[in-house]
Amino acid sequence: MFPSAAYAEWWEAKTDHFIVYSESSAADAKEFAEKMERVDISLRSLQNVDFSPIKSDSQRLTVFRTGDTRDIGRLAGSGSVAGFYIPRLGGSVSFTPAKNEKRGTGELLGARGRSSKTDLDPQSVMFHEYTHHFMFQHFSAAYPSWYVEGFAETAATMVLNDDGSFHLGNPPQYRSDALFGNYINVPVERLLASRNKPTGEDFYAYYSVGWLLNHYLTFEPSRKGQLKQYLRAINAGTAPAEAARAAFGDLDKLNRELIKYKSGRLPGVQVRPANYSPPQVTMRRLASDEEAVMDVVMRSKRGVDKKLAPDVARDAQQIAQRLPGSFAAQLALAEAELDWSDFDASRLPAAEAAVDRALAIKPDSIDAQIIKGRIHFERGRTDKAQMAAARTWFSKAFENDSDHPTPLYYNYLTYYYEGVTPPESAVIGLEKAYDMALFDPEVRLVLARQLLAEKKGPLARSILMPYAIAPHESKNAKKMRDVVDLIEANKVDEAYKKLSADMAEAERKRRSGDDS
């Protein structure tokens, strides 16, 4: 998939909150991991989030560093992507270039010309993406798209100082065309109050105008407290236009102030986190078989569709045949075959054969135990007797790692798809999985469905609200609002049926490869 490697080696750099797999020198991998841990420390300082030790690797963000921005764009399936993040139960992932190459935003959008001043660097992209992960993990509230991206852009330009302090507030120069020129001009009212389907211009404005608006509302003394008021109103279900006008007043006046603000000297702040200590990094050179399978691992972790799944699995087959005694190769093949089985159930025996070989090498592997359980689970969709065997494997994985949400989640699902009432222990496990993976939309929907089955409408409503009150119109947001409307009308049984039907239809489309 990628051109010849810039380095002949891969390194694993592990910190309190990250696992970094880097195709680079050891020093480069270590420096990157330290920076990412520094970003976490800085965000905790800004948001008053206490440090809590991570016991399970499933709770760490896994970052893959390879190639350049074009390679990352190909992996993402879009040439305009220089780095990206995927929230996922039991192991969120992010992808970023290993080469320190910069690309102008004009080039990423297909325009010609380059300018070093407006180059988008991989570090800014990675800081931006991790801010999303941090926000989704620690704050389960609903946020408008402009604020999600605007706040992430604020963190993207963070300057980390050697003494542990950091500077916040620098403008993203790579968006200077939109911020300080006339390249894209979206008024504040459209950003705050529109419920129309977003255009491409709107999406770009989330980053540029969103950053400027967040910066202004954060640093302008006369607007102190207004942003918090607005976000609270949005989370309470207030319509976007009403929430914006109640918090900010005249939106035309706000727009004029914003235009004037960007032409002046933009303020910033220097912050030193309390009780700062330098991040600790544990380094490990990957073995040759781990390096051989890394391309397959990255593509699997990226996620496959009906078209890509066979290609990834076939590449994994070739490596596994060449390395029959490699745990890494057999595990990667098992995962790739299991992914393929989503679209072709006949691949389950191949997935099971591979995971059995992996378990023969490492019987206590949590990842292998989960895959083995999921194979039984998939068979259990048509043969209910398989669900008991699936639970056995999920139980083994849970015994090895009680802080891994995946065994708890799938253990609950075995009862649901078996068509029996889940025991209290399984429901408690689902709730724990939700708490550990607030960023995962699928777990959120499954828990809401369970709460509706228990006639706990208000609790289900609180779980669904972040999706139901998305300020900009979308099919999914409308579906969630319809469910919430039924709950508020005290029609909990109807809400349960609608949510269940919507989830079943989404699953059918995913497995059929229907992207409509």
Side-chain angles (χ1 to χ4, degrees), residues 15-26:
T15 67
D16 285 326
H17 298 94
F18 300 89
I19 301 175
V20 177
Y21 292 106
S22 185
E23 186 187 27
S24 66
S25 67

Side-chain angles (χ1 to χ4, degrees), residues 329-488:
Q330 300 306 324
L331 184 69
L333 175 58
E335 183 171 0
E337 292 283 10
L338 182 59
D339 288 342
W340 192 2
S341 76
D342 272 354
F343 313 103
D344 181 356
S346 69
R347 302 311 306 175
L348 281 174
E352 185 166 35
V355 80
D356 284 345
R357 291 191 293 269
L359 284 166
I361 300 169
K362 288 188 178 182
D364 293 332
S365 165
I366 298 165
D367 292 333
Q369 290 169 345
I370 290 173
I371 290 176
K372 181 74 172 182
R374 287 183 57 198
I375 291 169
H376 284 291
F377 172 78
E378 290 301 324
R379 288 180 173 145
R381 291 177 183 269
T382 55
D383 178 8
K384 306 301 184 189
Q386 292 283 329
M387 290 303 185
R391 286 193 283 271
T392 298
W393 285 101
F394 296 140
S395 177
K396 288 181 180 180
F398 176 74
E399 290 172 2
N400 282 334
D401 186 353
S402 60
D403 292 302
H404 200 309
T406 305
L408 296 171
Y409 174 67
Y410 275 101
N411 179 68
Y412 166 85
L413 287 182
T414 61
Y415 294 103
Y416 178 81
Y417 283 101
E418 193 176 353
V420 300
T421 301
E424 183 180 3
S425 60
V427 176
I428 292 173
L430 174 63
E431 292 169 349
K432 183 178 179 182
Y434 168 75
D435 287 338
M436 291 189 291
L438 292 172
F439 45 74
D440 190 286
E442 188 174 330
V443 180
R444 182 181 293 270
L445 293 179
V446 169
L447 178 57
R449 184 179 63 191
Q450 172 62 29
L451 291 170
L452 289 173
E454 298 174 4
K455 315 295 185 185
K456 297 177 180 177
L459 284 176
R461 177 186 180 278
S462 68
I463 295 291
L464 293 173
M465 281 303 285
Y467 295 153
I469 61 177
H472 293 276
E473 187 64 76
S474 72
K475 290 181 180 179
N476 288 334
K478 185 179 185 308
K479 288 178 180 178
M480 291 304 105
R481 281 202 300 276
D482 290 343
V483 174
V484 168
D485 287 344
L486 289 170
I487 296 172
E488 292 176 343

Side-chain angles (χ1 to χ4, degrees), residues 4 12 49 70 110 160 164 183 217 271 273 279 298 360 436 487 514:
S4 58
E12 177 190 83
V49 175
R70 292 170 182 80
L160 304 175
Y183 183 51
L217 295 173
V271 182
M298 286 190 294
M436 291 189 291
I487 296 172
D514 181 2

Side-chain angles (χ1 to χ4, degrees), residues 36-283:
M36 293 311 303
E37 192 64 32
R38 286 281 313 279
V39 173
D40 181 86
I41 293 170
S42 301
L43 289 173
R44 286 175 187 276
S45 176
L46 287 173
Q47 300 295 324
N48 294 316
V49 175
D50 292 335
F51 172 84
S52 56
I54 289 180
K55 300 177 182 178
S56 171
D57 282 349
S58 67
Q59 300 295 304
R60 291 181 168 89
L61 176 64
T62 298
V63 183
F64 294 95
R65 299 180 73 227
T66 187
D68 58 24
T69 54
R70 292 170 182 80
D71 298 321
I72 298 302
R74 283 191 288 270
L75 185 61
S78 172
S80 63
V81 173
F84 60 101
Y85 157 75
I86 303 173
R88 184 172 292 147
L89 175 74
S92 294
V93 294
S94 191
F95 299 84
T96 188
K99 293 181 181 178
N100 189 25
E101 180 205 42
K102 296 183 178 182
R103 297 177 69 186
T105 51
E107 181 190 9
L108 289 171
L109 290 171
R112 296 181 178 180
R114 296 287 301 276
S115 167
S116 61
K117 183 180 179 181
T118 59
D119 278 349
L120 176 61
D121 63 289
Q123 176 177 290
S124 297
V125 174
M126 195 61 231
F127 284 12
H128 176 110
E129 296 302 326
Y130 182 66
T131 303
H132 286 325
H133 178 77
F134 185 90
M135 178 183 285
F136 296 153
Q137 175 63 7
H138 295 289
F139 307 103
S140 61
Y143 298 103
S145 299
W146 74 264
Y147 178 72
V148 171
E149 301 301 346
F151 180 72
E153 282 294 81
T154 301
T157 61
M158 188 185 301
V159 178
L160 304 175
N161 302 313
D162 293 339
D163 64 355
S165 65
F166 63 94
H167 180 83
L168 195 73
N170 287 353
Q173 295 289 352
Y174 44 84
R175 302 202 187 278
S176 59
D177 283 336
L179 281 169
F180 307 112
N182 295 313
Y183 183 51
I184 290 181
N185 184 20
V186 175
V188 167
E189 183 171 8
R190 179 166 146 192
L191 202 68
L192 293 172
S194 174
R195 295 207 80 146
N196 296 326
K197 183 178 179 180
T199 65
E201 189 176 52
D202 289 328
F203 281 118
Y204 195 59
Y206 294 160
Y207 297 82
S208 54
V209 184
W211 173 85
L212 184 63
L213 181 57
N214 179 64
H215 195 282
Y216 178 62
L217 295 173
T218 299
F219 289 103
E220 170 54 40
S222 66
R223 296 281 181 174
K224 185 177 181 180
Q226 292 184 356
L227 179 58
K228 184 179 292 185
Q229 177 187 343
Y230 164 76
L231 294 175
R232 285 176 175 170
I234 288 288
N235 274 274
T238 305
E242 182 182 345
R245 293 189 175 95
F248 308 129
D250 185 342
L251 298 186
D252 288 335
K253 179 175 182 290
L254 175 61
N255 196 73
R256 291 193 297 271
E257 291 176 2
L258 207 59
I259 293 173
K260 181 179 179 181
Y261 181 73
K262 72 177 182 178
S263 63
R265 184 177 179 85
L266 296 173
V269 62
Q270 194 82 3
V271 182
R272 180 174 178 82
N275 303 316
Y276 172 80
S277 60
Q280 300 300 306
V281 184
T282 302
M283 300 294 299

